Amino acid sequence: MRPDRLNPLFVETGSLKGVGPQLARPLEKLGLTRVRDLAYHLPDRFVQRRAVANLDEAAVGENIVVALTPAEYRGAAGRGPFRVLAADSIGNIVALTYFGRNSGWARKQLPLGETRWIAGRLDQYGQMLQIVHPDHVSGESAGLGQLCEPVYPLSEGLTQGRMAALVQQGLAALTDLPEWIEPGLLGRMQWPAWRDALLLAHRDEHREARERLAYDELLANSLALMLVRNANRARTGQPLRGDGRLRAKLALPFGLTGAQQRSIGEIEGDLAQASPMLRLLQGDVGSGKTVVALEAMLIAVEAGAQAALLAPTEILARQHHETLGRMAAGTGVEIALLTGRDKGRARESILMGLVDGSIDIVVGTHAIFQDAVAYRDLALVVIDEQHRFGVGQRLMLTQKGRRTPHCLAMTATPIPRTLTLAQYGEMDVSRLDEMPPGRQAIDTRVVAIERIDDVVGALSRHLAGGGQAYWVCPMVRESESDDLAAAEARFAELKARFGPEREGDVVLVHGQLRPEVKDAAMERFARGEARLLVATTVIEVGVDVPDATLMVIEQAERFGLAQLHQLRGRVGRGSEKSVCLLLRGGALSETARERLALLRETQDGFRLAEEDLRLRGGGELLGTRQSGDTPFRIASLEQIQRLLPLAHDDARLLIERDGGLTGERGEAARLLLYLFERDWGVQLLRGG
Ligand code: ADP
Ligand code: MG
């Protein structure tokens, strides 16, 4: 149960005044499901407006507030914009322009001959001054909102005015809360109190307020991760010592790299301890994490226990199951696959095998941790692509066995060191920083979109020669529908060209497809039946198709560096030379240019991750939100780098002094954990 004083903040936005079902979806899209989320929905930036007496005082491009009198309507019927010609106090004429909107609405707001206050950006259109879609139109100057107005992230179906009103409802629910930040730090940084910070952050570009809120988020995260770590240390696990008999029977067609050997050694050391392992295995795509996981699981089996491997998708689970089965064929180890799709008899028999211990290793999706699934002796859980699972979920998983199982998380996202701390807290880290030998460099080239015909030509030769290829289209959240349309159009085009005879030569995969449809398409491609996979970024994680040696990435400048690197990692998996073509649009920003150049230059994921952070972190003053590869919604990359070490130390000191969070600051810190939904940290305190 959440503390009473926080309850008003966790009321669902759907129950707010004036929020009907038509707003539910746009709000949900932005993750604004509760009042709390509205209060924390911080502006991306602010518009500064200047009130002017007439247009002579204003410059083109400026955001102004001015009194205007509508004189004439133009272009009402038919196509094209609707314009209201209006005069200022000294007779300057400006067009108020509306695109694609019912002109009746504008007519009503702007009756001829009546003075209105207009807020908007002054533009020039040919010889004419114009304001496109004024932000506000009001009969009195007071109705115009603020001269400094927040600009909120929106989704389709929401307007700035609507969002501002909703946010105000969120802010109205705030009460003062006791301070959780160490008083010395608070004073030194000149940070406002929590409630003031939220109010200020919505009012204007208040650096200290914004910083404080970011710090809160970082502190909550550090605290929670530290509580998990401590609780884990206090638990008893099962010391696992393998005698090597199964590992000796592994018939690997290659020798392990130094990095693999080192990682396996580290894991073996952890498993032998009574306190449960909490280790992250970080290694670029293709660095050979699977075999490390297998060795770890075999240690568990040698010690007489069971191991589970959790994959983020069905396809990946199946691929892992096959790979492990192949590698472990000579060991006699029983490896089962369990996904949400298994029903009836087959499922029953797997469940039986897990209970009676005849299954040594199970591979699957989260289905392997449902309540109905019981194990004889689960001692090790390996989680692939860790970042897709919440830490809370991981925690729940580790409580599944009789004793707390050891946990090995694997990720292919080479996270910079600063972010590793943020994501994984105090987990121990093993890094596969060495690629298996014989890997060919991927020939990466940047090609201007004007040369798309040449690219399609190259693709055509590649497919004709029996190769497979990926064609990646960008999919960015805000403009989802446009991007989807573009991807579908590209698919239709490529299909018309490469797959007119055989249905299914060219397949499309994107995030909005039903999972079965998506899986089926992916599987056709993985089996080599489909030759060309057109996809949005859903292929980012996982699939291993060694015969696919060509990748085209459209509008590459829109992707982040780390993301491009991950995508590119899908090729270069076989013995053939692979090629990655980065199609770029017209004008590139300096940063985009640098990103693409770096990608051409290196294939070292860790280096790219550090560079990505440098490129993205620089130069943002207000600290606009950065989602994606950090667990934070408020803190920007720059703030994370600067403030996380402070938050980390602060959290450590607090927990050292008051491990049960029962003191005055400790109680306040509990509220903070609830506020940022890291209350699993608090649950742990209660549990043990
Ligand atoms: P990851 O999961 O880290 O992306 P995988 O475990 O799928 O990488 O390994 C990628 C490929 O490299 C697989 O085909 C695997 O068999 C191979 N591989 C792994 N380790 C080695 C090694 N030491 N030498 C040669 N090939 C290896
Ligand atoms: Mg893998």
Side-chain angles (χ1 to χ4, degrees):
M1 270 290 281
R2 226 167 252 121
D4 288 346
R5 60 209 313 178
L6 291 183
N7 282 345
L9 283 173
F10 284 84
V11 169
E12 307 248 325
T13 40
S15 65
L16 287 179
K17 198 160 39 103
V19 180
Q22 82 286 1
L23 274 189
R25 223 183 113 66
L27 285 175
E28 197 186 301
K29 255 196 171 160
L30 291 165
L32 307 178
T33 51
R34 288 128 332 154
V35 169
R36 174 227 171 271
D37 308 325
L38 287 174
Y40 273 104
H41 192 55
L42 301 183
D44 275 337
R45 60 194 170 85
F46 289 84
V47 190
Q48 303 289 344
R49 292 209 180 86
R50 208 159 60 84
V52 294
N54 59 63
L55 296 171
D56 286 356
E57 290 181 8
V60 168
E62 208 178 355
N63 284 294
I64 55 167
V65 174
V66 65
L68 296 172
T69 311
E72 185 188 335
Y73 298 140
R74 280 211 189 148
R79 263 167 274 128
F82 174 66
R83 290 201 165 87
V84 180
L85 301 190
D88 70 2
S89 58
I90 56 171
N92 289 310
I93 299 291
V94 57
L96 307 174
T97 306
Y98 295 87
F99 292 96
R101 220 185 240 178
N102 183 351
S103 68
W105 182 83
R107 285 169 199 266
K108 216 159 101 195
Q109 291 235 310
L110 294 159
L112 297 182
E114 285 182 34
T115 300
R116 288 286 180 269
W117 292 86
I118 312 286
R121 204 183 106 107
L122 187 64
D123 286 329
Q124 192 150 7
Y125 175 72
Q127 292 301 306
M128 197 161 47
L129 288 173
Q130 78 169 352
I131 296 174
V132 178
H133 291 186
D135 297 329
H136 300 282
V137 176
S138 172
E140 43 185 327
S141 61
L144 282 171
Q146 304 137 301
L147 286 180
C148 174
E149 202 169 81
V151 179
Y152 290 105
L154 295 180
S155 62
E156 215 172 307
L158 277 163
T159 61
Q160 286 298 343
R162 202 67 205 269
M163 183 56 88
L166 286 166
V167 166
Q168 287 308 318
Q169 290 200 58
L171 293 177
L174 302 179
T175 53
D176 287 319
L177 293 178
E179 187 56 68
W180 45 74
I181 297 180
E182 201 265 310
L185 180 65
L186 196 72
R188 201 160 69 233
M189 305 299 270
Q190 302 190 317
W191 286 338
W194 172 72
R195 179 165 177 268
D196 293 340
L198 273 169
L199 296 177
L200 287 167
H202 285 279
R203 203 170 298 153
D204 64 41
E205 295 180 17
H206 198 292
R207 190 187 167 93
E208 287 78 19
R210 199 79 185 214
E211 219 173 63
R212 190 234 143 94
L213 298 174
Y215 184 82
D216 284 350
E217 188 179 37
L218 298 172
L219 181 62
N221 194 61
S222 288
L223 269 172
L225 290 173
M226 241 169 258
L227 289 171
V228 171
R229 178 69 185 166
N230 285 357
N232 202 62
R233 279 207 181 112
R235 290 216 191 106
T236 12
Q238 186 175 355
L240 300 173
R241 289 199 189 80
D243 55 10
R245 86 196 121 86
L246 296 174
R247 280 171 287 166
K249 287 192 203 146
L250 264 190
L252 295 177
F254 47 75
L256 297 175
T257 64
Q260 284 171 323
Q261 286 170 16
R262 180 166 30 83
S263 301
I264 293 168
E266 286 162 355
I267 292 166
E268 192 166 14
D270 285 358
L271 292 176
Q273 309 297 315
S275 78
M277 170 170 79
L278 203 52
R279 182 172 286 277
L280 178 70
L281 178 64
Q282 244 185 339
D284 226 328
V285 171
S287 61
K289 293 184 292 297
T290 317
V291 65
V292 174
L294 178 59
E295 296 256 357
M297 293 193 288
L298 288 179
I299 295 175
V301 179
E302 282 169 4
Q306 290 167 301
L309 192 157
L310 178 65
T313 65
E314 300 233 1
I315 300 176
L316 275 179
R318 214 159 300 135
Q319 266 193 0
H320 272 313
H321 181 246
E322 267 168 39
T323 317
L324 294 177
R326 219 178 313 122
M327 285 199 274
T331 61
V333 167
E334 191 60 37
I335 306 178
L337 174 71
L338 182 64
T339 70
R341 258 196 246 159
D342 296 305
K343 301 264 146 60
R345 279 263 174 73
R347 181 182 153 84
E348 283 310 311
S349 102
I350 292 171
L351 293 188
M352 287 294 293
L354 290 173
V355 175
D356 68 22
S358 55
I359 293 174
D360 302 302
I361 294 174
V362 64
V363 180
T365 54
H366 58 273
I368 60 180
F369 290 106
Q370 278 157 6
D371 284 341
V373 185
Y375 294 83
R376 186 178 68 81
D377 188 10
L378 180 63
L380 169 65
V381 177
V382 180
I383 307 177
D384 195 17
E385 289 311 334
Q386 150 70 25
H387 61 289
R388 303 269 148 148
F389 297 90
V391 180
Q393 195 176 354
R394 183 174 75 216
L395 195 70
M396 177 206 70
L397 301 183
T398 55
Q399 283 163 340
K400 189 79 192 178
R402 256 187 309 151
R403 278 178 284 189
T404 306
H406 297 278
C407 178
L408 176 68
M410 308 198 289
T411 178
T413 315
I415 300 166
R417 288 192 190 273
T418 32
L419 293 188
T420 310
L421 185 64
Q423 286 270 46
Y424 304 108
E426 315 227 304
M427 284 180 92
D428 301 304
V429 178
S430 295
R431 280 189 159 195
L432 292 182
D433 49 11
E434 176 189 354
M435 282 302 218
R439 219 32 79 76
Q440 295 203 43
I442 299 167
D443 183 2
T444 304
R445 295 184 213 164
V446 181
V447 183
I449 184 70
E450 288 77 26
R451 291 183 45 211
I452 190 166
D453 286 344
D454 296 345
V455 171
V456 174
L459 174 63
S460 170
R461 286 189 295 279
H462 178 79
L463 295 175
Q468 285 178 281
Y470 297 99
W471 186 292
V472 184
C473 304
M475 171 74 97
V476 176
R477 177 122 46 74
E478 308 101 70
S479 46
E480 226 167 90
S481 50
D482 286 1
D483 283 341
L484 192 58
E488 266 163 357
R490 183 64 75 208
F491 168 65
E493 224 170 279
L494 292 169
K495 192 179 165 74
R497 168 131 193 198
F498 297 116
E501 295 101 49
R502 262 186 40 196
E503 187 68 25
D505 262 6
V506 184
V507 288
L508 174 68
V509 166
H510 59 72
Q512 314 237 322
L513 293 177
R514 272 181 298 133
E516 312 88 79
V517 178
K518 195 159 65 185
D519 285 8
M522 291 286 246
E523 263 174 50
R524 286 185 56 75
F525 188 68
R527 281 201 300 265
E529 292 164 16
R531 314 300 302 165
L532 176 61
L533 177 72
V534 182
T536 60
T537 45
V538 288
I539 57 162
E540 197 180 324
V541 168
V543 295
D544 188 10
V545 185
D547 286 345
T549 52
L550 174 64
M551 173 173 284
V552 179
I553 304 178
E554 237 184 290
Q555 296 186 48
E557 71 276 9
R558 286 177 63 193
F559 293 90
L561 191 50
Q563 208 180 9
L564 285 170
H565 174 65
Q566 287 253 294
L567 282 167
R568 180 175 60 177
R570 296 294 123 221
V571 294
R573 310 204 113 203
S575 46
E576 289 286 300
K577 176 104 189 145
S578 287
V579 177
C580 178
L581 301 177
L582 304 171
L583 281 181
R584 64 161 181 83
L588 289 192
S589 71
E590 193 53 43
T591 322
R593 199 183 301 279
E594 213 177 321
R595 267 205 309 257
L596 297 185
L598 270 165
L599 205 70
R600 223 170 32 204
E601 188 183 302
T602 181
Q603 239 162 279
D604 177 344
F606 288 108
R607 163 140 189 252
L608 286 171
E610 299 289 349
E611 294 287 348
D612 192 29
L613 188 62
R614 183 180 62 77
L615 286 176
R616 287 193 301 158
E620 23 167 327
L621 211 73
L622 191 56
T624 43
R625 99 201 51 222
Q626 299 274 348
S627 57
D629 53 6
T630 87
F632 304 117
R633 295 187 63 177
I634 309 291
S636 69
L637 285 170
E638 187 276 327
Q639 286 166 330
I640 294 172
Q641 293 183 80
R642 193 159 43 84
L643 301 175
L644 186 65
L646 286 178
H648 190 74
D649 287 348
D650 198 4
R652 191 166 40 75
L653 279 174
L654 177 60
I655 289 179
E656 267 170 26
R657 283 190 210 133
D658 179 14
L661 297 184
T662 50
E664 201 176 319
R665 239 192 104 202
E667 290 282 355
R670 282 176 187 240
L671 293 177
L672 174 70
L673 289 169
Y674 276 111
L675 203 55
F676 281 99
E677 313 222 272
R678 262 98 174 163
D679 40 327
W680 32 268
V682 182
Q683 314 295 320
L684 268 178
L685 284 176
R686 214 162 282 151

